[in-house]
Amino acid sequence: MNTAGTADVPARMGLDLTPFRGLRYDPDRVGSLSAVTSPPYDVVVRPDGLQHLESADPHNIVRLILPQAPTPGIRNEQAADTLHRWVSEGVLRADAEPGLYVYEQRDDEGMFQRGVIGALRLSEPSEGVVLPHEDVMPHVVADRAALMRATSANLEPLLLTYRGDGTASGTTAVIERTAERPPLLSTTTEDGFSHRLWAVTDPADLAEVHTDLADRQALIADGHHRWATYLQIRGEHPSPSPWDYGLVLLVDTARHPLRVRAIHRLLHQLPVPEALAALDDSFRVRRIDEPLPAALSALSVAATEGNAFLLAGDGTFHLVDRPSPDLLARTIPPDPPEAWRTLDATVLHATLLDHIWKIPDIPEHIAYIHDTAATVAKAERDGGTAVLMHPVREEVVRDLASQGVTMPRKSTSFGPKPASGLVLRALAV
């Protein structure tokens, strides 16, 4: 049912965003659009958030992006069966004609973002069209690839950014004109964000977007593992193929700057007392007997002077900063640019996790959690250590990506992220 990739169109030097027939929930067949949406798969806090989403509506998208079963094979087969059943029952319906989709997000704090969702022609990082900025974990790519193969679908859009010229022309003009019309859907999710979606099907509008993006470069803001999955599966199919494209949301950050937040670590098998004892004199450690907001403020101040982390899990907070220069010299690789060598994520992984705590970067030992309070709560409940991070500035991310330098995995969290479940791209339904 997807039209992208069915013609042998030569690759362009820039972004090639193609219309597709979106697969969307029929609002008459579900309790509410809000009840069937979900955060992206890697933002869902498990198991609590997963169970909450599953109970919100029997058709919640989490049953596709995070199916639950005893083995990976059964999970993926279950997701495929669920997708096919929902399509056959009319719970999910394909739009009548291919289009791009204008997507808007707002919250009560003044965040306002609009972008365009489409099927983007895939490219390798070496081509300089879509730039990654983080490393990926092979087991996560393998997991996403197995799910994508089973469902033959792009279940949720990646978040990519590009820098427009700041004028209301090209893609921006199409987005603004489209948003003046009544939307296809409008809903508010429980996180307070309102979401609206419009279809762009007019040939002149589609041509205007295509021309405008043809010489632009994008940065992967969120979705490195899914982009790596797209590339892996593309290599498994002869071209031309629908797998030459992947579902993305493109946002012009000259017009709509994104928030950049940290992704925290939960060390399952390392209690806080052991973590602190192992530091010895290699870092300065200060106890902060204050609530979480005050502790995060102290972390923010310390981060202006150098590497800093906040440990939690024993009922209080411990600010860890001022690493020994000699220790950093012995544990940080000397070849990458200084901006990479001084990243908090670099120091955390190379110095703390690898050298001092000797913790392997595998799911049995480390969880990556976006929500700060949830990270602390899980550490306190499970007896582990939460390592709270300070966010990296967006200009640092872009500078490293432009040099072809990737940051340690899960170094940043750009947002707001697109809600999963508003529009899907099916390749073989």
Side-chain angles (χ1 to χ4, degrees):
M1 32 182 291
N2 175 72
T3 61
T6 57
D8 191 8
V9 179
R12 303 177 67 95
M13 295 300 293
L15 302 172
D16 183 3
L17 193 68
T18 306
F20 69 104
R21 290 180 64 198
L23 193 63
R24 299 187 295 109
Y25 281 100
D26 182 342
D28 294 331
R29 299 297 304 274
V30 298
S32 71
L33 289 175
S34 174
V36 295
T37 62
S38 165
Y41 80 98
D42 58 340
V43 181
V44 176
V45 178
R46 287 162 268 186
D48 299 348
L50 178 62
Q51 294 167 352
H52 172 72
L53 291 165
E54 286 182 329
S55 62
D57 189 284
H59 300 107
N60 189 284
I61 191 68
V62 78
R63 297 180 186 276
L64 300 183
I65 62 175
L66 287 173
Q68 299 301 294
T71 68
I74 297 175
R75 286 199 300 269
N76 297 329
E77 182 179 348
Q78 177 178 292
D81 291 344
T82 300
L83 175 60
H84 294 155
R85 184 175 71 255
W86 289 356
V87 170
S88 65
E89 294 173 351
V91 174
L92 288 168
R93 295 182 182 274
D95 285 333
E97 57 183 319
L100 301 177
Y101 295 85
V102 170
Y103 177 44
E104 176 188 284
Q105 295 166 275
R106 294 178 183 264
D107 70 3
D108 295 335
E109 300 176 4
M111 170 58 75
F112 167 57
Q113 176 175 290
R114 282 178 180 158
V116 60
I117 296 174
L120 184 67
R121 180 178 284 275
L122 305 180
S123 59
E124 297 288 345
S126 59
E127 298 175 54
V129 177
V130 176
L131 302 177
H133 70 268
E134 288 184 354
D135 293 331
V136 297
M137 293 176 272
H139 75 276
V140 177
V141 175
D143 174 75
R144 291 294 100 185
L147 177 63
M148 202 173 294
R149 290 189 200 99
T151 58
S152 291
N154 300 153
L155 299 173
E156 44 187 351
L158 284 62
L159 175 60
L160 272 61
T161 70
Y162 70 99
R163 299 289 291 181
D165 56 15
T167 65
S169 61
T171 304
T172 296
V174 173
I175 288 173
E176 298 304 319
R177 289 198 302 269
T178 302
E180 293 175 357
R181 306 197 311 257
L184 290 175
L185 64 84
S186 178
T187 189
T188 299
T189 45
E190 63 181 10
D191 58 4
F193 270 93
S194 65
H195 308 262
R196 297 200 294 171
L197 192 77
W198 297 260
V200 181
T201 57
D202 181 83
D205 287 340
L206 296 174
E208 188 171 355
V209 172
H210 195 266
T211 300
D212 178 54
L213 296 177
D215 62 351
R216 300 200 185 278
Q217 180 186 66
L219 174 75
I220 301 175
D222 184 70
H224 284 81
H225 290 90
R226 284 166 287 168
W227 183 261
T229 298
Y230 287 168
L231 293 175
Q232 178 173 315
I233 296 183
R234 179 188 66 168
E236 300 169 1
H237 295 81
S239 185
S241 159
W243 294 103
D244 293 340
Y245 295 77
L247 186 64
V248 306
L249 165 64
L250 276 171
V251 174
D252 177 3
T253 53
R255 196 149 185 103
H256 299 287
L258 270 63
R259 294 170 175 162
V260 186
R261 291 176 171 164
I263 302 176
H264 310 296
R265 276 66 169 163
L266 175 60
L267 312 181
H268 297 297
Q269 302 180 32
L270 182 68
V272 173
E274 291 183 19
L276 294 173
L279 295 177
D280 198 15
D281 295 325
S282 56
F283 285 79
R284 182 176 68 169
V285 179
R286 288 175 287 166
R287 182 179 172 125
I288 301 178
D289 292 314
E290 299 285 347
L292 178 58
L296 290 174
S297 294
L299 173 63
S300 180
V301 172
T304 63
E305 301 176 358
N307 301 117
F309 312 92
L310 196 64
L311 305 191
D314 62 347
T316 188
F317 299 97
H318 308 270
L319 183 61
V320 176
D321 65 353
R322 297 189 182 180
S324 160
D326 291 340
L327 176 64
L328 296 182
R330 286 187 284 111
T331 56
I332 305 296
D335 296 331
E338 182 180 2
W340 183 91
R341 289 185 281 110
T342 56
L343 288 170
D344 286 340
T346 298
V347 173
L348 172 62
H349 283 264
T351 304
L352 285 169
L353 294 176
D354 292 352
H355 182 78
I356 293 179
W357 293 329
K358 297 181 174 18
I359 295 178
D361 192 358
I362 56 177
E364 291 78 9
H365 287 272
I366 303 177
Y368 294 82
I369 304 178
H370 294 71
D371 185 275
T372 309
T375 311
V376 174
K378 286 180 70 65
E380 292 180 346
R381 183 172 65 241
D382 301 342
T385 294
V387 182
L388 306 184
M389 310 280 288
H390 188 263
V392 182
R393 300 191 316 277
E394 182 179 356
E395 55 267 30
V396 174
V397 176
R398 287 189 176 277
D399 178 59
L400 287 172
S402 67
Q403 298 179 58
V405 178
T406 54
M407 301 165 65
R409 45 189 168 241
K410 299 295 183 182
S411 293
T412 60
S413 176
F414 282 88
K417 305 177 190 304
S420 298
L422 297 181
V423 61
L424 292 66
R425 175 178 175 251
L427 286 80
V429 174

